[in-house]
Amino acid sequence: MRKLHQFHGGIHPPTNKAQSNQTPIVQANLPSKLTIPLHQHVGNSAVPAVEIGQHVLKGQLIGCAEGNLSSSVHASTSGMIAAIDKQLVANSSGLPELCITLIPDGRDEWIELDPCLDWLECTHSELRLKLRKAGVVGLGGAVFPSDMKLHASQQKIKTLVLNGAECEPYITCDDLLMRERAAEILEGAQIMRALLSTEEILIGIEDNKPEAISAMRAAVLEGKYQGIEVIAVPTVYPGGGAKQLIRVLTGIEVAAGVRSTNLGVQCFNVGTAYSTWRAIRFGEPLISRIVTVTGNVSHPQNFEVLIGTPMDELVAHAAPLNGTRYYIMGGPMMGVPMPSMQVGVIKATNCIIAASKEIFPPAQPALPCIRCTRCADACPAELQPQELYWFAKAKNFDKAEDYHLFDCIECGACSYVCPSNIPLVQYYRFAKSEIWAQEANQKAADTARERHEFRESRIEREKREKAEKLAAKEKAASAAKTQRTEQPPTLVKTDVNPEDTLQLKIQTAIDHAKEQAAAIKPLNTEQLTPAQQAQIDEIEAQRARIREMALAPVADHTKG
Amino acid sequence: MLSALLAMSGIAIALGAVLGFAAIKFRVEGNPLVDKIDAVLPQTQCGQCGFPGCKPYATAIAEGEADINKCPPGGEEGIQKLANLLGVDFKPFGGESIPKPKAVALIDESNCIGCTLCIQACPVDAIVGAAKQMHTIIAAECTGCELCVPPCPVDCITMQAIEESAANWKWKYPVYALTASK
């Protein structure tokens, strides 16, 4: 039996998982339309790869990954591209983002896939490229492109942690996935293990999911896997946080500003392992995921949902009840309210809670902080939430950073225990985004300063070069003059100033032109035949006449 | 008595030599305060302060010739930072110096005649173009100083306010009801 460790703090909110984990995963029906955002992942937004009116097949690439840190987006079913425009999406800002609207044709026809019967024959870079092309991202909520995390770093990765803790209340999608698709999760984990060259795989599952634990253990035995251990961890929120789970399983404490990979541990969600297997073995891009639909519905359960399915159409499958005011994406602790009920399911959507007044009563009025430090007792990151609150409230961001604001995982344990009902996490989010904005501004200012200084120095340099050129020219001219007249130059200035030399330059130019004019003779006037000479003489005579006429007074002419 | 005098003057001479040497050896070029002030200024190079750029304004502040509330792009936060840096009181914006929302210049490319006047006016080289060729703004480098707007002979440059989007969105300062809604 492995010795388990503990992390600081944590809370025990009602889990509310039993409502939705009683029935198996159900395939959700094809919706009337799919709204697929192009920015569902960490990093750059994908770039549209289709046109309006184009017919696409299921699994066809519709958004190309842009840059290194980005991910592809695929058509979730076959159909027609109806629009590429900005629409409300499942994000916390509630501001529209670029989406591709797909009207399904009902045939659900797959594009030709590129399966890989034996992935052991593929090189590591081929496997990573396959994952990148399939748009596989972390499904635990962070949606970080998985291929980026599967690089064997300089530091040897000793342990691969598969996160099946699912600590947040209401959510059961990982629970059901582990119960029903354990073997495939383990196959995905094998691919991850190969890519990272790790020895052991630790699968952490909270002990309130006994079915999932036994299913995973059975799959390990059945597949005769070596070095994979399924570990039941105590149910404490937020035990599913990556740092917290690593701490519990390995005893390693990931310090501030340090990545777990530097300590030899990498962590993935079980759903990501499943998608990795599907992407490598069958060539299937990430176009669907398991979503828990719960809250104010009469049949809370898990669905396998196509990415882009409008949330209200999905919730309709779970027999919604009256009184739903809005949807929450994620759990009650860290989830965000959706700007609209029609927004599409994205890769990060693990749970949709239909929120009614009964389930989520309006927040109690916030009272002043009494410095009871219950929040500090609950904080899993061992921060001082009450201090951070004061600093964020006073917009004293430097101080907040000194108190390790960026180690806050926004789990909400502090707000949960706060007797004054202070929305603490909102303050931390506010402070974090202000600090990021300030950093961006500072960066922009530094670039502007650099560009301005470069411009100034360039103008200065151009001026100097011009003056030097002029001085050199003038020197040469005067030297030539001296040679011709054999007289010492009358005017040679060493420190030349453009204003002074202008006059001189003009005079030199005029002189030069005169000299040239005197030197030049028409080239074709030699060796003329007598006839040509006669012609020229005639023309010259005519010219002389015309000149005379022009000079003669014209007054008579006008009168006549 | 004499030995005491000699000792004291000896020490004075030795220390004087050390100080004199240090003054030459560790001489600081320019005024370090100017750089510190310049680091706080937003580097729009717009000249709204009445000086031809951020550095000249920083120099003027350092020499006590200019007030700290003359930089609208820096906003009140900028004034606060300058006040903290210089150990003086916060001074609100006065008169015409009122901060405007952040904006970038936009050239109406169909009307641009390619005169290069805006290129010459841009303090951060954020305009690309050549004589008799259409010009365009590199929006990412534009500081929103508006210096390109007046020289344009065909008035084809406008300032576009930067709107809030999902990319630059920030979490808002928490505002909550003091009484529970019924």
Side-chain angles (χ1 to χ4, degrees):
Chain A
M1 189 74 193
R2 175 175 285 269
K3 182 188 178 291
L4 291 182
H5 302 261
Q6 269 192 332
F7 63 89
H8 179 266
I11 53 169
H12 297 273
T15 59
N16 283 311
K17 287 179 189 269
Q19 294 97 314
S20 57
N21 68 5
Q22 305 299 317
T23 47
I25 299 169
V26 176
Q27 187 72 43
N29 292 343
L30 211 56
S32 62
K33 69 161 187 178
L34 294 155
T35 313
I36 306 168
L38 285 162
H39 193 208
Q40 304 184 31
H41 45 264
V42 170
N44 300 328
S45 177
V47 179
V50 286
E51 284 167 10
I52 296 172
Q54 190 180 333
H55 184 267
V56 292
L57 294 173
K58 184 173 185 167
Q60 186 174 337
L61 183 78
I62 56 172
C64 287
E66 170 84 349
N68 215 5
L69 186 63
S70 182
S71 191
S72 311
V73 178
H74 300 81
S76 308
T77 183
S78 59
M80 209 221 359
I81 305 294
I84 303 174
D85 56 359
K86 284 196 168 184
Q87 297 200 29
L88 286 181
V89 297
N91 57 11
S92 30
S93 67
L95 293 169
E97 285 193 75
L98 197 59
C99 292
I100 291 182
T101 307
L102 175 63
I103 305 291
D105 60 9
R107 291 202 291 270
D108 210 24
E109 193 180 339
W110 274 99
I111 195 168
E112 199 180 318
L113 296 176
D114 175 26
C116 178
L117 295 176
D118 187 6
W119 58 268
L120 286 167
E121 285 176 5
C122 297
T123 63
H124 286 186
S125 49
E126 273 171 12
L127 291 174
R128 273 191 286 271
L129 189 66
K130 274 173 188 280
L131 287 178
R132 184 177 163 86
K133 278 186 175 168
V136 176
V137 296
L139 296 182
V143 281
F144 192 88
S146 298
D147 58 304
M148 300 290 288
K149 275 173 81 180
L150 285 166
H151 276 279
S153 60
Q154 287 182 329
Q155 172 74 38
K156 166 124 185 74
I157 307 272
K158 206 176 128 276
T159 311
L160 169 63
V161 170
L162 270 203
N163 190 342
E166 200 166 56
C167 60
E168 192 153 344
Y170 283 98
I171 309 175
T172 57
C173 63
D174 289 346
D175 184 4
L176 267 288
L177 186 78
M178 287 187 286
R179 286 192 209 181
E180 297 187 12
R181 302 175 191 180
E184 286 160 302
I185 292 170
L186 293 176
E187 283 298 325
Q190 287 288 84
I191 298 174
M192 290 172 165
R193 168 148 72 177
L195 284 172
L196 293 169
S197 336
T198 51
E199 292 142 24
E200 57 172 2
I201 300 179
L202 304 180
I203 305 174
I205 305 171
E206 282 195 346
D207 55 14
N208 62 355
K209 291 181 261 300
E211 292 96 335
I213 294 168
S214 55
M216 291 295 281
R217 282 190 175 147
V220 171
L221 285 178
E222 201 177 310
K224 298 193 177 67
Y225 294 105
Q226 296 299 312
I228 298 187
E229 201 177 333
V230 179
I231 302 157
V233 297
T235 303
V236 186
Y237 180 84
K243 284 187 176 183
Q244 283 68 35
L245 188 64
I246 289 171
R247 168 92 183 135
V248 170
L249 292 178
T250 65
I252 293 172
E253 191 163 325
V254 184
V258 178
R259 289 198 180 147
S260 67
T261 44
N262 294 344
L263 303 168
V265 187
Q266 184 62 291
C267 184
F268 282 96
N269 177 263
V270 286
T272 316
Y274 174 75
S275 298
T276 300
W277 169 243
R278 299 298 299 184
I280 298 293
R281 171 63 186 81
F282 303 102
E284 273 177 26
L286 182 52
I287 53 164
S288 68
R289 67 158 296 149
I290 315 295
V291 179
T292 308
V293 180
T294 182
N296 191 33
V297 292
S298 44
H299 297 300
Q301 58 184 317
N302 283 279
F303 294 94
E304 172 135 27
V305 187
L306 297 178
I307 303 296
T309 304
M311 288 190 180
D312 54 351
E313 286 195 37
L314 173 61
V315 174
H317 296 318
L321 298 168
N322 290 333
T324 298
R325 291 156 65 224
Y326 56 94
Y327 293 153
I328 293 172
M329 183 175 92
M333 302 298 296
M334 293 182 73
V336 281
M338 290 292 100
S340 145
M341 290 192 176
Q342 283 85 40
V343 295
V345 165
I346 57 172
K347 291 175 184 176
T349 311
N350 47 6
C351 179
I352 298 168
I353 306 177
S356 66
K357 230 178 211 173
E358 289 71 41
I359 305 173
F360 292 102
Q364 291 293 306
L367 300 168
C369 170
I370 54 169
R371 287 193 172 256
C372 65
T373 68
R374 271 197 223 172
C375 48
D377 294 338
C379 180
E382 293 182 63
L383 300 173
Q384 297 290 311
Q386 77 284 3
E387 301 287 352
L388 289 173
Y389 160 66
W390 287 113
F391 296 137
K393 194 175 180 181
K395 300 183 187 172
N396 193 349
F397 302 127
D398 292 344
K399 209 78 180 138
E401 266 190 282
D402 288 348
Y403 276 69
H404 304 291
L405 173 67
F406 284 96
D407 281 355
C408 167
I409 57 167
E410 299 174 21
C411 67
C414 50
S415 326
Y416 184 80
V417 297
C418 180
S420 293
N421 304 309
I422 301 171
L424 292 162
V425 179
Q426 287 186 36
Y427 281 98
Y428 308 149
R429 284 175 171 163
F430 158 74
K432 280 183 185 177
S433 61
E434 282 298 324
I435 292 170
W436 282 322
Q438 278 182 9
E439 276 173 7
N441 281 346
Q442 192 55 49
K443 217 172 158 189
D446 289 345
T447 319
R449 180 186 300 114
E450 208 174 284
R451 289 178 76 89
H452 181 63
E453 278 170 5
F454 180 78
R455 180 189 145 89
E456 299 272 280
S457 70
R458 191 192 67 222
I459 291 171
E460 199 58 39
R461 193 191 66 214
E462 277 171 359
K463 229 181 197 170
R464 203 177 52 236
E465 281 175 358
K466 220 172 178 178
E468 276 168 9
K469 229 178 186 174
L470 217 58
K473 224 175 182 179
E474 187 193 323
K475 218 173 174 180
S478 58
K481 224 174 193 171
T482 326
Q483 256 184 1
R484 263 205 308 279
T485 57
E486 288 184 352
Q487 270 174 10
T490 48
L491 186 79
V492 174
K493 274 193 173 178
T494 40
D495 61 330
V496 183
N497 156 345
E499 289 289 315
D500 290 352
T501 53
L502 195 62
Q503 209 55 45
L504 188 74
K505 191 183 163 195
I506 293 168
Q507 197 51 53
T508 324
I510 292 171
D511 290 349
H512 189 61
K514 272 182 186 167
E515 274 171 35
Q516 271 188 332
I520 290 171
K521 274 186 192 168
L523 286 174
N524 58 350
T525 52
E526 285 163 28
Q527 297 169 356
L528 294 172
T529 59
Q532 281 171 328
Q533 191 60 53
Q535 237 176 352
I536 290 169
D537 289 345
E538 199 182 321
I539 291 164
E540 285 298 327
Q542 235 168 13
R543 275 186 185 156
R545 259 206 311 281
I546 291 164
R547 229 173 279 144
E548 267 172 40
M549 274 166 71
L551 289 171
V554 289
D556 294 343
H557 209 61
T558 47
K559 271 178 193 166
Chain B
M1 176 68 189
L2 192 67
S3 61
L5 269 176
L6 278 176
M8 290 310 285
S9 41
I11 290 170
I13 289 166
L15 289 177
V18 168
L19 282 175
F21 173 74
I24 296 162
K25 174 81 180 170
F26 302 111
R27 191 185 154 81
V28 179
E29 288 296 330
N31 187 347
L33 185 60
V34 172
D35 285 337
K36 276 187 192 161
I37 298 172
D38 193 42
V40 172
L41 295 176
Q43 305 302 319
T44 38
Q45 317 293 352
C46 59
Q48 289 181 59
C49 50
F51 296 90
C54 295
K55 192 89 180 233
Y57 178 45
T59 315
I61 294 177
E63 284 166 5
E65 288 167 5
D67 255 336
I68 57 167
N69 63 347
K70 296 276 180 267
C71 177
E76 296 205 329
E77 284 167 40
I79 301 179
Q80 190 62 57
K81 277 188 194 162
L82 285 174
N84 291 346
L85 177 69
L86 300 168
V88 296
D89 283 338
F90 175 84
K91 227 178 198 177
F93 282 113
E96 288 153 29
S97 325
I98 298 157
K100 275 189 247 177
K102 268 190 153 186
V104 288
L106 178 76
I107 292 179
D108 178 0
E109 292 171 351
S110 56
N111 281 336
C112 173
I113 54 167
C115 68
T116 76
L117 287 176
C118 57
I119 295 183
Q120 292 164 39
C122 179
V124 290
D125 288 335
I127 306 179
V128 198
K132 293 183 184 169
Q133 306 291 323
M134 180 197 81
H135 303 345
T136 193
I137 308 256
I138 311 169
E141 309 289 3
C142 175
T143 63
C145 68
E146 304 188 10
L147 290 181
C148 54
V149 178
C152 180
V154 289
D155 287 337
C156 71
I157 306 180
T158 48
M159 298 307 293
Q160 306 282 319
I162 298 172
E163 281 174 24
E164 189 178 47
S165 69
N168 66 13
W169 174 81
K170 293 190 285 186
W171 285 94
K172 302 288 175 292
Y173 190 82
V175 179
Y176 42 84
L178 286 172
T179 52
S181 51
K182 282 160 202 164

